[in-house]
Amino acid sequence: MRRRSILTAAGAAALAVPTLGAVPAFASTATGSAAPRRLPIRGMDISSLPKNEDHGAVYRRADGRLDDPIHILAEAGITHARLKVWVDPADGYNNKEHILPLARRLKRAGIGIWIDFHYSDSWADPAHQTKPAAWADLDVAGLTRAVYDHTADVLGALRRQRTPADLVQIGNELNGGMLWPTGNWDHWDNLAAFLKAGLRAARDTTPRVRTILHLANGGDNGLYRWWFDNAVSHGVDFDVIGLSYYPFWHGSLDQAAANMADITARYGKPCVIAETAYPFTLSSEDEINDIMNSPSQLTEGYPATPAGQAAWLRAVADLAAAVPNGQGLGYCYWEGVWTQRAGSGWNPEDPTSGNAWENLALFDFDDKALPGLRTLGHYRS
C-alpha cells in the first residue's frame, strides 16, 4: 500500500484470464451461519511507529491513559506486527537500523514479527516498483544477488538478536512484478529469479519462517489466477498467498470470498489478508485531504464511525474464517498506529508531507485506542 497510489490491476494480461463463474454469496459467520473459528493471525502493520514516535506521537489506552503502544497492542490481542523494509530510504526509516530495536520491543511483548520487503528505497505497490538507487545499473544476475543479500542481511540480523521473523513477504503488492522494468510482468523469467532469490535467502537465514507472496486487488480472481499460474509454472515455491483487500478499491466481500476460496483450492496454499483498513471518521486532523473523505467511498452498512470501523473488522475476520478447509489464516490492519504528526508524512524525501491516513488509524484524534483495536485482537482469538 502506498498513501497516494491508484491501485491498478495487472493490466491487459490479467484481463484476458477468465474469472470465476457463479459463486455462493459471502455469508458472515457472525450471524451464526458457521461455527466460530479462531484466526492465528490478527495483525497490524506498524511500520510508521518509529518515525511517529520520533516526531512526538503518543498513544493512549481507550480510557485515556498514556502507555507504550506496543503494550497497548499486546493487551488488545494483536498476534503479529508487520514491518516494511526499504533498501536506502531518504529519511532513514523503515530500514534494518530501525527494525531491529522495534523487533526487540515486539519480542518482549510476545508479538510475532512479519517482515515486508519492498525491494525499493520507497513505496512499492501496483503502480510503483522502482529499483533502489544503488541497484539501478545492475544486470539480472546482479539484481538476483542483491535481492538475496538484502533479504539475508535483514533476516539474519533479526535472527542473530534472537527476534527471528515469523512471516516474511518477498515483495509488496506484486501485481505487475518488482524491480521495474527488469522484473515487470513482461519478464517473468527475471521476476521468478528475483522471487526465488528472496525466498531462498529467507529459508537460509530463518528455516522456520513462513513465506508470503502478496498482491493487491483482493477481489480480482482473474489477476490472482494469471499471476500465480505464472509463478507456479516458473517453479516459484512459497507458503502463503497474501492479499490486500480494501473495500473502497477492491470489490465486494462476495468477490473477495470467491477469490480466496478459489485460489486456496487451486494452488493448495493458505491465504492471509495482508492489508485492510476502514475509516472511523471522514474528517481530517490536518490540512491534507485524506484518502477516505466522502460518503460515496463507504461500504453500505459500515458507517465511518468507531462502531462502523469495528464492524468492518468483524466482517473481514469472518471473511478470512470462512475460507474453505480452514485455509484463511487471518488478516492484518494496515498502519493502525499512523496518527497525524508533523514531520511524519508519507513522502520520505519531503519532511513537510502530510498524512492522509489518520482517519483510518486505530487510534483517534485524541490518541486513544478505538474499539476496532480490541476487535482486531480479540474477535476470533
Side-chain angles (χ1 to χ4, degrees), residues 10 13-14 17 175 185-189 191-192 195-196 213 222-236 238 266-267:
V17 180
N175 298 26
W185 65 55
D186 290 326
H187 301 94
W188 256 101
D189 287 348
L191 175 56
L195 295 172
K196 289 177 183 178
L213 297 182
L223 163 66
Y224 279 73
R225 284 189 169 203
W226 167 80
W227 200 95
F228 282 99
D229 279 0
N230 271 290
V232 170
S233 71
H234 283 82
V236 179
F238 60 96
R266 185 177 181 88
Y267 305 109

Side-chain angles (χ1 to χ4, degrees), residues 53-64:
E53 289 182 318
D54 285 352
H55 286 83
V58 297
Y59 298 87
R60 302 178 185 273
R61 298 172 180 269
D63 63 8

Side-chain angles (χ1 to χ4, degrees), residues 136-213:
D137 296 327
L138 297 178
D139 60 11
V140 172
L143 288 168
T144 302
R145 170 54 62 180
V147 168
Y148 182 95
D149 289 346
H150 172 61
T151 307
D153 179 47
V154 174
L155 295 180
L158 284 166
R159 186 178 183 189
R160 286 190 295 274
Q161 72 169 16
R162 299 184 180 181
T163 61
D166 300 284
L167 303 164
V168 60
Q169 284 180 225
I170 305 303
N172 188 74
E173 294 189 328
L174 293 167
N175 298 26
M178 61 189 278
L179 298 172
W180 288 350
T182 312
N184 70 14
W185 65 55
D186 290 326
H187 301 94
W188 256 101
D189 287 348
N190 297 343
L191 175 56
F194 302 154
L195 295 172
K196 289 177 183 178
L199 291 161
R200 187 171 66 254
R203 290 164 178 152
D204 286 350
T205 57
T206 318
R208 298 178 64 182
V209 75
R210 298 186 82 179
T211 57
I212 301 170
L213 297 182

Side-chain angles (χ1 to χ4, degrees), residues 262-284:
D262 179 65
I263 60 178
T264 52
R266 185 177 181 88
Y267 305 109
K269 308 284 187 181
C271 68
V272 63
I273 299 170
E275 297 185 19
T276 193
Y278 204 80
F280 65 88
T281 179
L282 293 178
S283 299
S284 179

Side-chain angles (χ1 to χ4, degrees), residues 323-336:
V323 178
N325 302 312
Q327 291 289 79
L329 299 179
Y331 67 127
C332 180
Y333 197 91
W334 195 76
E335 284 287 17

Side-chain angles (χ1 to χ4, degrees), residues 74-157:
E75 291 191 6
I78 302 304
T79 62
H80 295 78
R82 182 174 180 251
L83 311 175
K84 68 173 172 277
V85 181
W86 291 339
V87 175
D88 187 19
D91 62 1
Y93 289 91
N94 299 301
N95 58 8
K96 183 176 70 173
E97 287 67 31
H98 279 88
I99 286 168
L100 292 176
L102 185 53
R104 288 193 291 268
R105 292 170 66 186
L106 292 166
K107 181 73 171 181
R108 287 193 297 268
I111 296 175
I113 296 165
W114 175 345
I115 297 297
D116 174 17
F117 286 100
H118 283 221
Y119 301 110
S120 182
D121 292 335
S122 187
W123 303 93
D125 55 49
H128 309 84
Q129 296 283 341
T130 305
K131 292 175 186 174
W135 303 5
D137 296 327
L138 297 178
D139 60 11
V140 172
L143 288 168
T144 302
R145 170 54 62 180
V147 168
Y148 182 95
D149 289 346
H150 172 61
T151 307
D153 179 47
V154 174
L155 295 180

